[in-house]
Amino acid sequence: MIKKNQLFVLLILMMGLTLNAQKSKEPKNLSIGEMLPNIKIKNILNSDRRKAKTADFKNQLLILDFMDTGCIGCLQALPDKDSLQTIFGDKIKIFVVTPQKEDFVKRFLDRKDMIYGKLQIPWVVEDDILRKYFRYTIISHMAWIYKGKVVALTDAHQVTADNIQRILNGEEANLPVKNDLLAFDFDKDFFRVQLNQGMNENEIIKYSAIRGHIKGIDAVGKRYVVDSVKKTLRYHIANRTILNMYMNAWRAIKKDLPVLHSSRVIMEVKDPSKYDYKPMYGDRNDWNVKNEVTYESVIPLEAGKFGANKKLINDLDNFFGLHGRWEKRKVPSYVIVKASTDEEIKAKKEAAMKLKYLDFNGILHNSVEKEGSD
């Protein structure tokens, strides 16, 4: 009997050791200042090499851009990163890193209406290793590694020529740290509702509140939380520009809206810098903390998402003294008109093709004339 008990205890100890060994194999989520192990990188697209190791880039600033093809903002930022890759050449190396399947990404990059396959930034697809060393919940998530050490963890806004050059110069990065893993419970209210004496919290069926930027979390898009018991709908949107909030609301209300490009937005306000960010306003992170807002409302469930977004527009109008609206206006526009016939265009093209060289006086001569003079 004693031997059986001893054997049972021994088995428990062995199981504990096995579990601890498995836990120790799980990659550590790296922080700034820690060294990156030499990790094998597989499934590289848009590159002359299919595989690599992180140590291959120890003499370069390695920037890992964790994103996917469904993130429009991430995609729109790629041409700028491609330009930075061209400017800095072999001094830096930027990789797009995604868990998406190779076939899917290939089809995406090969689409004729997409420019992303023409960029020189390589893609690491089907990633299941790198993201374990750099854990995130919101994309893009940028990991900066220089000389094998993690020097910054940021969002895409911080990937600028100035910041890259500072790191290459050996200076301290001191960039705002993007940390998606904070214990922030988005299922709980952003605001503590001040209840009048005698009012029970369960009696509240409608309220709205606006506050400023919440430090420590990235921008959170619109979310709807249904309480089937109280029959209410909670709608919240965090850390967004005021203009972005209006645009989100209008997209939800008017399904037939065209693309809300900046050229279709008119701000008739005294100080436009309060409502939407532009590079001329300085550091993006500083501007965000000062100007971004967070909104939350609770309304009767029957009002639905349409009612929640309509209320958001009204609340923004009332709180900031604005009049956000969608309207049709006549505005000056450029019109491209065909001024020549097809025959005239063809004749001009043929004539232009004959102009082959310049003489020393800068005069154009056609090839026919040159051949006759010989």
Side-chain angles (χ1 to χ4, degrees):
M1 186 69 179
I2 295 175
K3 290 183 180 180
K4 289 183 179 180
N5 287 340
Q6 289 175 340
L7 179 62
F8 183 68
V9 172
L10 181 60
L11 287 172
I12 292 176
L13 288 173
M14 290 178 65
M15 288 175 63
L17 290 172
T18 302
L19 290 173
N20 287 333
Q22 290 175 346
K23 288 182 179 179
S24 64
K25 292 179 181 179
E26 185 71 16
K28 178 186 177 183
N29 184 37
L30 296 178
S31 301
I32 294 174
E34 295 185 307
M35 301 301 293
L36 177 68
N38 187 16
I39 302 170
K40 292 181 180 179
I41 304 175
K42 302 179 293 183
N43 305 323
I44 303 176
L45 300 181
N46 212 26
S47 173
D48 58 356
R49 56 196 302 187
R50 282 283 293 168
K51 298 180 181 180
K53 294 181 180 180
T54 54
D56 297 341
F57 312 100
K58 62 182 179 181
N59 295 321
Q60 299 170 283
L61 171 58
L62 176 62
I63 301 178
L64 304 177
D65 181 2
F66 293 91
M67 54 161 279
D68 63 50
T69 59
C71 175
I72 301 301
C74 305
L75 293 172
Q76 290 174 340
L78 284 183
D80 289 339
K81 293 169 188 168
D82 186 72
S83 297
L84 292 170
Q85 181 67 76
T86 301
I87 292 170
F88 287 95
D90 293 337
K91 295 179 181 178
I92 70 171
K93 190 64 178 180
I94 302 175
F95 280 100
V96 172
V97 184
T98 176
Q100 292 174 295
K101 295 296 184 181
E102 180 172 335
D103 289 344
F104 178 86
V105 176
K106 274 184 176 179
R107 290 196 301 272
F108 175 81
L109 296 177
D110 289 341
R111 283 175 54 182
K112 293 181 179 179
D113 59 333
M114 292 293 181
I115 65 168
Y116 309 112
K118 299 179 178 66
L119 305 179
Q120 62 175 312
I121 296 178
W123 289 60
V124 178
V125 297
E126 300 185 20
D127 170 62
D128 59 357
I129 298 297
L130 290 170
R131 60 179 172 166
K132 293 181 179 179
Y133 287 94
F134 302 101
R135 295 169 198 167
Y136 59 89
T137 58
I138 300 171
I139 52 178
S140 279
H141 185 74
M142 316 298 301
W144 306 51
I145 302 99
Y146 190 45
K147 296 182 179 179
K149 183 171 71 175
V150 181
V151 295
L153 297 168
T154 73
D155 58 27
H157 298 129
Q158 303 301 327
V159 184
T160 65
D162 288 343
N163 288 336
I164 289 174
Q165 190 60 61
R166 283 166 53 198
I167 293 176
L168 293 176
N169 291 343
E171 301 175 23
E172 290 291 332
N174 292 326
L175 299 177
V177 180
K178 177 176 178 289
N179 185 0
D180 301 344
L181 305 179
L182 297 176
F184 194 94
D185 189 351
F186 289 99
D187 290 331
K188 294 183 178 179
D189 296 348
F190 288 152
F191 309 88
R192 181 180 295 278
V193 181
Q194 299 298 321
L195 305 177
N196 294 326
Q197 186 174 4
M199 180 183 289
N200 189 297
E201 184 177 0
N202 292 328
E203 297 174 9
I204 296 177
I205 59 172
K206 185 176 181 179
Y207 81 86
S208 60
I210 297 176
R211 61 165 290 176
H213 177 95
I214 300 177
K215 292 185 178 181
I217 66 172
D218 232 320
V220 178
K222 53 189 177 184
R223 297 190 180 192
Y224 305 93
V225 181
V226 174
D227 190 326
S228 57
V229 176
K230 298 179 183 178
K231 298 189 182 308
T232 59
L233 176 68
R234 174 177 169 243
Y235 171 43
H236 67 266
I237 181 169
N239 291 355
R240 294 290 180 139
T241 69
I242 296 172
L243 176 61
N244 182 269
M245 286 201 173
Y246 273 114
M247 293 172 70
N248 268 285
W250 279 113
R251 287 192 190 100
I253 292 173
K254 291 181 68 67
K255 302 297 184 181
D256 58 342
L257 278 182
V259 177
L260 291 180
H261 189 268
S262 57
S263 62
R264 292 191 170 108
V265 175
I266 299 175
M267 288 195 287
E268 298 173 331
V269 293
K270 291 183 179 179
D271 185 4
S273 68
K274 294 180 180 180
Y275 306 101
D276 193 40
Y277 174 78
K278 296 185 182 302
M280 67 180 73
Y281 301 151
D283 180 77
R284 177 65 187 254
N285 189 66
D286 292 342
W287 187 93
N288 288 350
V289 172
K290 183 179 179 181
N291 295 287
E292 284 186 336
V293 295
T294 295
Y295 173 84
E296 178 176 276
S297 68
V298 172
I299 61 174
L301 183 58
E302 61 187 20
K305 295 181 180 180
F306 181 93
N309 284 280
K310 190 67 176 176
K311 181 170 176 54
L312 170 58
I313 293 173
N314 292 334
D315 288 337
L316 291 172
D317 285 352
N318 293 331
F319 186 84
F320 295 105
L322 300 170
H323 183 198
R325 60 198 183 277
W326 177 258
E327 63 181 37
K328 292 183 179 180
R329 287 192 183 187
K330 291 183 178 180
V331 296
S333 303
Y334 290 103
V335 179
I336 300 175
V337 179
K338 186 177 180 180
S340 303
T341 65
D342 291 342
E343 290 75 14
E344 289 171 334
I345 294 172
K346 183 177 179 181
K348 290 178 181 178
K349 182 178 179 181
E350 290 175 350
M353 292 296 293
K354 294 179 180 179
L355 299 176
K356 296 294 185 181
Y357 69 97
L358 288 169
D359 64 18
F360 289 107
N361 296 316
I363 300 174
L364 279 170
H365 296 267
N366 63 55
S367 58
V368 177
E369 178 184 324
K370 182 178 181 182
E371 291 170 0
S373 63
D374 291 340

